[in-house]
């Protein structure tokens, strides 16, 4: 049976390879996505997710994460979670119950502790130094500076889809700020009968359009995965520019129930994809009118996370 995996940003490469091993072994999309996201959350080199994430205005790393199971439509999320490397695990645990599917702040921390997750200091020396430098510069919050969500959509050999996200959100955000990544339908969405999607970019721009849900809805109506993702980002970008004169960065990945993938973006965006017919590869997507142009990543010319 076909399996397939798509993930935001180049930083997902090692994680995707781990997920691929599980999928080849007929493990579930849930196992593959959690394993793959763990690899990104743990990696000290990536400053936008989990351990070594960049902090908020107070110098505290607050993470957001989401998880949705396309088979059951159970979804869970955490916002402004502190001191837990694997925020995605807490989101997954939240997805299991009938109630309490979305937890934020202290409540999310307490829930993580009740699961036996140990509290750790996520702020590394390097991230702290970047924080101090940025504080000295005394600049306003930038629309694109040191934030990139790991978002993934996975199809397993049993035909089930899962979407998940994990991020430390915007660098120098306000305490308690929640981005799109833990918002069901905005940062992620998944339905075995329609497809799955996940987003990265400026959360405020993504959440006001519920862009992951909209992408899945278009696939359900018959659009190809590529058409759904590129039309959603293109139309939303145009609409935001018409309304307020600009549109911040938005990138979307998606997959239909057959494992075909799609990418929409209004910036230069790297993603990782693998399926039962092709090896793991990093690609670069660039917006071109209503479409996106996709090519393989080239380390000599592409300076991307
Ligand atoms: N979407 C995330 C947020 O707004 C950040 C990102 O993906 O770059 O928190």
């Amino acid at each position: 049976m076909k399996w397939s995996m798509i993930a935001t940003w180049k930083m997902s490469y090692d994680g995707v390879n781990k997920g691929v091993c599980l999928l080849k072994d007929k493990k579930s999309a849930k196992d593959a996505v959690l394993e793959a996201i763990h690899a990104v959350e743990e990696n000290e080199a990536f400053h936008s997710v989990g351990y070594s994430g960049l902090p908020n205005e107070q110098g505290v790393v607050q993470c957001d994460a989401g998880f949705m199971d396309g088979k059951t439509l159970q979804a869970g999320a955490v916002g402004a979670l502190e001191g837990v490397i694997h925020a995605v695990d807490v989101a997954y645990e939240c997805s299991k119950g009938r109630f309490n599917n979305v937890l934020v702040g202290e409540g999310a921390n307490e829930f993580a502790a009740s699961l036996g997750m140990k509290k750790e200091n996520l702020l590394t020396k390097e991230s702290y130094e970047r924080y101090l430098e940025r504080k000295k510069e005394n600049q306003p919050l930038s629309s694109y500076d040191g934030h990139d969500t790991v978002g993934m959509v996975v199809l397993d050999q049993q035909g089930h889809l899962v979407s998940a996200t994990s991020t430390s959100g915007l660098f120098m955000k306000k305490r308690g700020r929640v981005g799109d990544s833990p918002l069901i339908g905005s940062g992620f969405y998944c339905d075995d009968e329609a497809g799955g999607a996940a987003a990265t970019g400026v959360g405020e721009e993504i959440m006001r359009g519920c862009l992951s849900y909209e992408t899945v809805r278009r696939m359900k109506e018959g659009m190809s995965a590529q058409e759904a993702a590129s039309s959603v980002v293109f139309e939303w970008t145009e609409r935001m520019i018409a309304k307020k004169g600009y549109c911040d960065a938005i990138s979307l990945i998606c997959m239909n129930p057959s494992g075909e993938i799609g990418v929409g973006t209004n910036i230069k965006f790297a993603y990782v994809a693998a399926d039962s017919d092709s090896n793991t590869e990093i690609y670069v997507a660039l917006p071109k009118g209503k479409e996106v142009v996709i090519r393989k990543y080239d380390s000599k010319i592409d300076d991307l996370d």
Side-chain angles (χ1 to χ4, degrees), residues 74-287:
Q74 287 285 107
V78 284
L81 176 74
E82 290 178 16
V84 176
I85 293 186
H86 298 309
V88 74
D89 282 352
V90 191
Y92 166 64
E93 292 296 331
C94 285
S95 77
K96 289 178 173 174
R98 180 168 179 182
F99 305 109
N100 302 312
N101 294 141
V102 181
L103 295 175
V104 298
E106 270 310 300
N109 295 340
E110 277 168 23
F111 181 59
S114 77
L115 296 168
M117 291 183 187
K118 67 170 192 292
K119 195 151 180 171
E120 290 173 79
N121 178 21
L122 304 189
L123 189 67
T124 56
K125 190 168 168 279
E126 199 186 329
S127 294
Y128 185 57
E129 278 164 7
R130 277 177 72 174
Y131 166 74
L132 292 179
E133 251 167 59
R134 188 62 192 272
K135 243 185 127 173
K136 247 194 275 151
E137 291 164 8
N138 200 20
Q139 281 187 16
L141 196 67
S142 146
S143 75
Y144 216 80
D145 182 5
H147 59 91
D148 284 337
T149 298
V150 54
M152 300 195 185
V153 189
V154 180
L155 173 73
D156 63 28
Q157 294 204 49
Q158 294 69 43
H160 298 306
L161 285 163
V162 157
S163 299
T165 57
S166 182
T167 187
S168 51
L170 288 188
F171 183 24
M172 301 303 263
K173 64 189 176 184
K174 288 240 170 291
R175 192 209 316 266
R177 180 257 185 196
V178 167
D180 60 303
S181 309
L183 302 186
I184 302 162
S186 290
F188 64 106
Y189 198 76
C190 196
D191 179 345
D192 273 5
E193 278 138 56
T200 177
V202 175
E204 285 72 6
E205 210 71 287
I206 296 163
M207 63 175 82
R208 59 180 133 230
C210 301
L211 297 185
S212 289
Y213 179 77
E214 178 59 15
T215 305
V216 171
R217 192 191 67 77
R218 290 183 190 204
M219 290 191 283
K220 191 170 191 175
E221 287 196 338
M223 275 194 189
S224 70
Q226 184 50 47
E227 226 185 324
S230 54
S231 66
V232 163
V233 176
F234 176 76
E235 286 167 28
W236 197 248
T237 302
E238 293 282 290
R239 193 133 182 250
M240 289 302 99
I241 293 170
K243 294 248 176 235
K244 57 186 172 71
Y246 67 91
C247 182
D248 281 316
I250 303 173
S251 301
L252 264 175
I253 54 168
C254 70
M255 185 182 292
N256 69 15
S258 314
E260 288 150 7
I261 58 171
V263 178
T265 187
N266 62 9
I267 56 162
K268 186 177 180 187
F269 167 61
Y271 66 97
V272 180
D275 66 23
S276 26
D277 304 318
S278 21
N279 292 333
T280 312
E281 191 77 58
I282 307 168
Y283 299 91
V284 172
L286 289 146

